[in-house]
Amino acid sequence: ARNLGLEMIYEKVKPFTLAIIVGLLGFLFSILALRSPGFMGVAMAAIVIMVGLEVLGMTLRVMISGRAPVTNMYETVMWAGFGGFVLSAILGLKWKDARVWACGFAGNSICLFMMNFASGMLDPAIQPLVPVLRDNFWLSTHVTSVTFSYGCFFLSWVVANYVMLRWIVSGPS
């Protein structure tokens, strides 16, 4: 009982493809905000737009499939990138540090690129659930929280690479 109208909207809007563009611009604005604080507001606007696009995409997938969007590798990459990005947005706001936002935009954009351009590895098709995942409670709680932890790990990896590259270029501070 899939909703073909929603599938058509999902395919026409392509929220995750649009999020790539916003993510790259947000990364740029976050980097510019390091030199000119006036770009902080623009970077924050990019965060809001990117979160909105991804929530729209995930909501449409949930409405089409009737389940949480964490049942295949495509959806795992989607959720992990989103989770790490939301965490970076919160931490960047708390610490008032655009570098954390830049890392979040970079990490999420990598995930979005994989989702959009690695179709041989990640199948974007919405498939029926395998029997082991048919318990909606465990799917919605356990699998979602584990996948969010991948996003936290991914964000820490991006931040660690940033710190390492900065150390290589500038030396220990």
Side-chain angles (χ1 to χ4, degrees):
R2 290 165 62 150
N3 189 330
L4 292 178
L6 287 176
E7 285 191 66
M8 290 178 59
I9 292 169
Y10 178 77
E11 288 299 321
K12 285 183 181 179
V13 173
K14 297 195 179 301
F16 297 113
T17 304
L18 293 173
I20 290 174
I21 297 165
V22 175
L24 295 175
L25 289 172
F27 176 78
L28 174 66
F29 294 136
S30 296
I31 297 298
L32 291 173
L34 297 174
R35 299 273 184 221
S36 176
F39 283 101
M40 289 289 280
V42 182
M44 177 59 94
I47 289 171
V48 171
I49 293 168
M50 193 163 184
V51 166
L53 285 169
E54 291 190 59
V55 166
L56 172 66
M58 286 188 276
T59 301
L60 287 171
R61 286 185 75 89
V62 167
M63 292 172 70
I64 292 165
S65 67
R67 58 174 168 72
V70 289
T71 59
N72 59 30
M73 187 57 100
Y74 177 89
E75 293 171 341
T76 299
V77 170
M78 171 187 68
W79 182 246
F82 178 75
F85 180 67
V86 169
L87 180 62
S88 76
I90 293 167
L91 293 176
L93 187 60
K94 178 180 179 182
W95 296 333
K96 295 177 181 29
D97 191 347
R99 292 175 296 188
V100 179
W101 288 349
C103 289
F105 276 117
N108 196 18
S109 294
I110 289 168
C111 290
L112 291 166
F113 270 106
M114 285 175 55
M115 289 168 55
N116 281 280
F117 302 113
S119 56
M121 183 173 68
L122 304 176
D123 182 11
I126 299 173
Q127 302 290 339
L129 285 176
V130 294
V132 74
L133 295 176
R134 291 204 178 130
D135 182 344
N136 229 355
F137 173 76
W138 287 113
L139 175 67
S140 299
T141 55
H142 173 75
V143 178
T144 304
S145 61
V146 168
T147 309
F148 180 75
S149 74
Y150 299 160
C152 296
F153 175 76
F154 187 63
L155 178 62
S156 68
W157 176 78
V158 173
V159 170
N161 279 287
Y162 163 75
V163 170
M164 183 178 64
L165 288 173
R166 186 171 168 207
W167 186 79
I168 289 170
V169 172
S170 305
S173 44

